[in-house]
Amino acid sequence: MTDQHLLAAAEFTKAGIHKRIYVRDRVGDGRYADAACVGEKTLGDAFGALGRDAHFRGLVTSRNTDDSDPTLAVNSGDQVAREVAANARSRSMAQNLAERLLLEEVPCQEEPAGHWVYGPTHTIDVAPGISASWMGTYDGDLNTTGTAPRAKESCGGIAILRNGSHYGVLEVDACLDTAAMTRIVRAAVTRL
């Protein structure tokens, strides 16, 4: 696995992000895009050695990034997206890890009214062994019933990716609608 397997900034330009996007990469362990509603941990915490050599890519609109993790913008409004991906060493292990990552995020589809929430799960099957599941993010002011509102567009979201023996998490902070998120997630999983 190399940085070439990670999403390119050009995909976000095609999706309508017109600010300059800086790409910040690193390799190692670290916090993955695990939602605050289920706790935050590192891939090493979650998967042991399989997560310790992960590739991280931050797509940001500012050069001002976190000293301890350059893939994170200091100002959250400057974060376009962040992808974390690793090699599970086999297709079956990648499938298992991707399923576990998705199961961690599903509880975030139900939150008390007023709290941000994920919408329903969308699945993209590109080819055998290449698939992604993603959920859109809804701000707390749209959550009046404990779940995502119907007939409203999400604003960004989270995707769990699997391509062969590779698995990953893509968190999109930019406010992209369903169509744009679907294109971005498809591009990410195809590249992975």
Side-chain angles (χ1 to χ4, degrees):
M1 162 154 241
T2 70
D3 293 340
Q4 297 300 313
H5 291 102
L6 302 178
L7 194 59
E11 295 298 335
F12 286 93
T13 304
K14 292 178 198 172
I17 305 295
H18 299 295
K19 287 185 172 182
R20 179 170 178 173
I21 298 173
Y22 300 93
V23 176
R24 299 292 181 253
D25 292 320
R26 74 176 184 83
V27 176
D29 192 12
R31 181 185 65 79
Y32 57 96
D34 192 10
C37 69
V38 295
E40 295 184 353
K41 56 189 168 189
T42 70
L43 279 176
D45 293 337
F47 304 131
L50 291 176
R52 293 199 180 106
D53 291 324
H55 288 247
F56 289 74
R57 170 161 289 171
L59 300 164
V60 296
T61 58
S62 169
R63 293 179 190 256
N64 191 13
T65 57
D66 188 306
D67 290 337
S68 64
D69 187 345
T71 66
L72 293 169
V74 170
N75 177 353
S76 63
D78 294 331
Q79 192 81 36
V80 174
R82 185 165 182 257
E83 185 176 8
V84 181
N87 188 351
R89 300 189 191 120
S90 76
R91 289 175 172 263
S92 60
M93 183 60 76
Q95 180 176 355
N96 177 280
L97 298 179
E99 288 171 0
R100 287 172 56 187
L101 288 167
L102 182 60
L103 287 173
E104 284 185 349
E105 305 301 334
V106 168
C108 303
Q109 291 174 320
E110 294 182 12
E111 289 292 329
H115 189 281
W116 70 268
V117 66
Y118 284 143
T121 305
H122 303 269
T123 301
I124 299 171
D125 290 314
V126 176
I130 304 173
S131 65
S133 295
W134 72 271
M135 297 173 272
T137 302
Y138 292 83
D139 287 335
D141 60 341
L142 295 175
N143 174 10
T144 59
T145 63
T147 60
R150 294 178 188 260
K152 295 277 186 184
E153 277 291 339
S154 60
C155 184
I158 191 166
I160 308 301
L161 315 169
R162 180 177 65 92
N163 186 332
S165 64
H166 297 162
Y167 69 97
V169 178
L170 172 65
E171 188 170 34
V172 177
D173 297 289
C175 194
L176 302 181
D177 63 15
T178 301
M181 275 294 293
T182 300
R183 284 192 304 273
I184 290 288
V185 172
R186 179 179 291 278
V189 75
T190 301
R191 203 172 165 106
L192 185 66

